[in-house]
Amino acid sequence: MKKENFSMSKFIRDNIMYAILILLCVFFATQHKAFLTWSNMLNMLNQSSYQIIVGVGIGMLMISGGIDLSVGYQISLIGVVAGWLMQNTGIHWILVVLISFALGILMSLFNGVIVVKMKAMPFIITLATSYIFQGISYTITQTKTYKGFPDAFKWIGQGSIGPIPVAIFLMVVCVIAGSLILNKTYFGRYIYGVGSNREAVQLAGVNTDRLRLIIYAVAGFFVALGAIALIARTGSSASSMGPGTEFTIIAGGVLGGIKMEGGGGRMSSIVVGVLILTVLTNGMQLMQLGVYPQYIVKGFVLVIAICFDSLESMSAIRRAKLVKD
């Protein structure tokens, strides 16, 4: 009987966020007739696609016990560098995309090297580097906006395959790839392992410092891909594009079930968490609520998510003690 109760509680923990997402959709559907229309559903998925793409990499980082508060300004800097190159040089847009990937990986590795080699707190380091990336971004643009991107490049964010936007296809591919990495590869198992018990992974003969740097590099790749999807969809880039993304991804990840201390969570955690925040934003906009009430609601959502994560951690500790006793 005790085992059955435990199974039921685990089922609830694993699926409660899906229930919340459905309930939110039902609520907003009763408040505005346009909410459940096909065009609005596609619009929400398309708008959140770049965040979920970025979240695939940041989700792996969070599961490994890391965090990156500089993501927003990494996106900003990648966007303005790509925009400047396409507007002011004659190089092909594909080369610009490759440069963007390199820049994303380098910025994330910059964070990773300091965190790993200096044994520094990722929260503080990435908060500090966000100011560096912000300063470089605004120095390049001088508050300018870059436009006039090639149509082939804009197709990444504005094109469609049938009725489905390309960005949504790209998002689905990234989520599937991320899930396969986490669930079907040794690398994925090590990501969970380094987040839950780094010493045990080291004893297994894994170079955990190198592993963590690889995770940062992978996160940087997905940050760059998300930045490309964002500026391709808008057809422009500016320093103001990107900041705030880190809140949506981290809050969405925690809300979806990724543990703040690492070692737990799934790729679907990022997806459902980001979608909950997207639905909240879209629904409140349709209800014509102002920006400031949206900030209040999102803030409460983050507080609730962190409290829920803390309660889960304390509950896991209690269960471990009961098993030990």
Side-chain angles (χ1 to χ4, degrees):
M1 181 66 70
K2 193 170 183 179
K3 186 176 179 181
E4 186 177 332
N5 290 336
F6 173 76
S7 298
M8 179 57 70
S9 65
K10 185 177 185 301
F11 176 82
I12 292 172
R13 289 197 307 271
D14 289 344
N15 296 280
I16 188 170
M17 290 307 157
Y18 298 101
I20 290 173
L21 178 60
I22 293 170
L23 288 173
L24 282 173
C25 289
V26 171
F27 170 75
F28 286 122
T30 63
Q31 301 302 306
H32 201 286
K33 61 182 181 181
F35 180 79
L36 279 183
T37 59
W38 173 251
S39 61
N40 191 53
M41 293 291 105
L42 271 185
N43 179 54
M44 284 193 290
L45 283 174
N46 200 26
Q47 285 184 341
S48 62
S49 59
Y50 86 94
Q51 296 170 330
I52 292 174
I53 290 170
V54 174
V56 170
I58 301 304
M60 293 182 191
L61 186 60
M62 292 174 68
I63 291 170
S64 73
I67 197 167
D68 194 340
L69 299 183
S70 68
V71 168
Y73 281 108
Q74 287 184 43
I75 293 173
S76 171
L77 184 52
I78 292 167
V80 300
V81 168
W84 185 89
L85 288 172
M86 283 189 282
Q87 185 170 300
N88 295 291
T89 70
I91 64 176
H92 198 278
W93 68 268
I94 293 178
L95 182 55
V96 172
V97 169
L98 295 176
I99 292 171
S100 299
F101 282 132
L103 181 58
I105 292 170
L106 283 173
M107 284 191 290
S108 193
L109 275 175
F110 178 68
N111 288 336
V113 168
I114 299 173
V115 169
V116 173
K117 299 302 182 182
M118 297 289 103
K119 312 297 182 186
M121 293 179 62
F123 182 93
I124 301 299
I125 292 301
T126 57
L127 178 61
T129 57
S130 69
Y131 288 104
I132 297 174
F133 302 146
Q134 177 186 14
I136 297 173
S137 178
Y138 277 97
T139 299
I140 293 171
T141 64
Q142 298 295 318
T143 70
K144 294 178 184 176
T145 298
Y146 298 112
K147 299 179 181 179
F149 301 159
D151 290 338
F153 175 79
K154 290 191 290 186
W155 182 82
I156 298 171
Q158 299 178 10
S160 296
I161 300 175
I164 309 299
V166 173
I168 295 178
F169 278 107
L170 190 60
M171 174 192 73
V172 171
V173 169
C174 288
V175 171
I176 292 173
S179 296
L180 290 174
I181 289 171
L182 285 177
N183 299 317
K184 301 297 182 180
T185 67
Y186 283 110
F187 179 62
R189 292 172 195 159
Y190 292 151
I191 290 174
Y192 282 106
V194 79
S196 59
N197 193 334
R198 192 180 305 169
E199 290 75 16
V201 176
Q202 286 176 327
L203 290 173
V206 177
N207 186 327
T208 55
D209 284 356
R210 185 172 61 187
L211 175 65
R212 292 168 69 198
L213 289 177
I214 293 172
I215 296 169
Y216 271 98
V218 171
F221 172 86
F222 283 104
V223 169
L225 184 56
I228 291 164
L230 173 61
I231 66 172
R233 179 169 63 84
T234 59
S236 63
S237 66
S239 295
S240 58
M241 293 171 61
T245 304
E246 67 282 354
F247 167 84
T248 301
I249 294 169
I250 293 170
V254 176
L255 187 64
I258 292 181
K259 296 183 179 300
M260 287 291 289
E261 68 273 18
R266 299 171 294 182
M267 198 50 61
S268 58
S269 302
I270 284 285
V271 177
V272 70
V274 171
L275 287 179
I276 285 173
L277 294 174
T278 301
V279 166
L280 275 171
T281 300
N282 182 268
M284 289 187 290
Q285 286 174 347
L286 289 175
M287 292 172 64
Q288 297 184 336
L289 294 176
V291 175
Y292 301 125
Q294 293 180 37
Y295 286 152
I296 294 170
V297 172
K298 287 182 178 180
F300 271 115
V301 166
L302 181 56
V303 169
I304 292 169
I306 292 172
C307 290
F308 185 76
D309 179 71
S310 298
L311 289 172
E312 280 294 300
S313 298
M314 289 187 288
S315 177
I317 292 171
R318 285 196 295 268
R319 288 196 300 271
K321 285 183 178 178
L322 286 174
V323 171
K324 188 177 180 180
D325 294 340

